[in-house]
Each structure stands twice: as C-alpha cells, then as structure tokens.
C-alpha cells in the first residue's frame, strides 16, 4: 500500500522530469513548470545575499551565528517572506532597516543611524498603544523611585 508521502514523491519526480534537461539539480528545483521558466529570486533574498557577500559571509555562517536551521535563508529565494521576528533579527544583524530588506526603501541606510530599534518599534504603534506604554513607564518610574 502506497502512502500519501509516496504519492507526493512520485508527483514531485514527475514534475522534475518536465524541466529542461540542461538544468542542474538545484536549478530544476527553482524551475516554474507552469510558466516554463526559472523562478525569479525575491528582492528580499537578493538583498540578504548581497549584504552577506559584503560581509564576506556565506548563508551557512550567517545561519549558524543567528541560530537558524540550515538552509533557512535559502528558503526565501522564491517569494517566501520571513516572519516579523526573523525580519527584525536580520535587519539588526546587517544593521539595515527592515524596510530596506523588504524592498520598501531603495537606500541601504544603517538602521541605527536613522532610529534606534526601540524608536522604530514605538513609531509603528498606534496612539492607544503609545498611551499604554507611557502609563506603564510612569508606573515603573514610580516604583523605581520608591525603591531608591
């Protein structure tokens, strides 16, 4: 009896055989069969790749330093987007803004030159969230003053 996993593997092998013969294996994985052409690398992936090359680091080195699983960065090659946490981690690692990594800004500005990480987060809160943070800050300050 064939399992679902076996059927998925058979379908994948069949689709892989439809790709042009002159492509190597990794290129076959990035070939869009429905369109008959290579899938284009995402802008996010291109920017992460370039920033890594500028630092003289491979994806494997970056993944190890950030504690990511192997090939985690390669998964962003074809239009997959990172989680918000991973986006912020990578922006901080490369010292660029998250907007640059996402392609929303053309200039590769150092995020620390423009704003601190805390300022970046605060700017993206709505008015009620900002008021709540101010209240919590006041409570914390009063508590600190009583203790000292």
């Amino acid at each position: 009896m064939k399992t679902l996993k076996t059927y998925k593997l058979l379908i994948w092998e069949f689709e892989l055989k439809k790709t042009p013969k002159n492509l190597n294996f990794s290129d076959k994985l990035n070939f869009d069969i429905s369109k008959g052409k290579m899938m284009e690398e995402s802008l996010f992936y291109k920017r992460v790749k370039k920033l890594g090359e500028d630092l003289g680091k491979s994806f494997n080195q970056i993944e190890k330093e950030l504690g990511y699983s192997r090939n985690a960065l390669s998964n962003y090659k074809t239009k997959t987007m990172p989680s918000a946490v991973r986006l912020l981690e990578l922006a901080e690692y490369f010292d660029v803004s998250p907007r640059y990594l996402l392609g929303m800004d053309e200039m590769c500005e150092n995020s620390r030159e423009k704003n601190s990480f805390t300022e970046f987060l605060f700017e993206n809160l709505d008015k009620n969230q900002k008021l709540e943070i101010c209240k919590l800050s006041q409570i914390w300050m009063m508590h600190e003053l009583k203790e000292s």
Side-chain angles (χ1 to χ4, degrees):
M1 184 168 127
K2 294 187 179 186
T3 64
L4 181 60
K5 190 174 181 179
T6 307
Y7 283 113
K8 286 181 179 179
L9 185 60
L10 289 171
I11 291 169
W12 182 78
E13 287 175 353
F14 174 76
E15 294 294 323
L16 201 58
K17 288 178 184 174
K18 289 183 185 177
T19 60
K21 302 287 185 227
N22 61 340
L23 297 178
N24 63 33
F25 184 74
S26 64
D27 286 342
K28 284 186 177 190
L29 294 178
N30 293 319
F31 188 80
D32 187 342
I33 295 164
S34 65
K35 295 180 182 170
K37 63 180 183 178
M38 293 295 290
M39 287 187 272
E40 190 175 322
E41 292 178 348
S42 70
L43 182 58
F44 175 82
Y45 176 83
K46 288 177 185 178
R47 289 191 171 176
V48 169
K49 185 177 176 181
K50 171 137 180 28
L51 290 165
E53 289 169 357
D54 290 349
L55 292 175
K57 296 187 178 188
S58 68
F59 272 1
N60 286 339
Q61 288 174 302
I62 296 166
E63 289 162 347
K64 282 180 187 176
E65 290 176 15
L66 292 172
Y68 297 166
S69 62
R70 189 167 181 205
N71 295 324
L73 296 177
S74 296
N75 291 335
Y76 303 122
K77 191 170 189 172
T78 55
K79 308 296 182 213
T80 304
M81 296 307 290
S83 66
V85 171
R86 184 150 295 173
L87 174 64
L88 292 173
E89 290 171 344
L90 288 167
E92 187 172 329
Y93 179 84
F94 290 117
D95 194 23
V96 297
S97 71
R99 292 178 57 86
Y100 172 75
L101 289 177
L102 292 174
M104 298 169 77
D105 289 339
E106 291 301 314
M107 299 295 293
C108 178
E109 296 178 18
N110 290 345
S111 60
R112 290 185 187 101
E113 289 175 7
K114 188 174 181 184
N115 290 325
S116 73
F117 180 68
T118 309
E119 288 171 338
F120 170 77
L121 289 176
F122 192 76
E123 287 173 1
N124 288 295
L125 298 175
D126 64 33
K127 185 177 180 178
N128 290 334
Q129 292 169 322
K130 288 178 182 177
L131 289 171
E132 184 68 24
I133 295 234
C134 288
K135 290 175 188 175
L136 292 171
S137 297
Q138 287 176 340
I139 292 168
W140 175 80
M141 285 175 45
M142 296 302 275
H143 179 11
E144 288 295 309
L145 289 172
K146 286 180 185 177
E147 298 223 349
S148 53

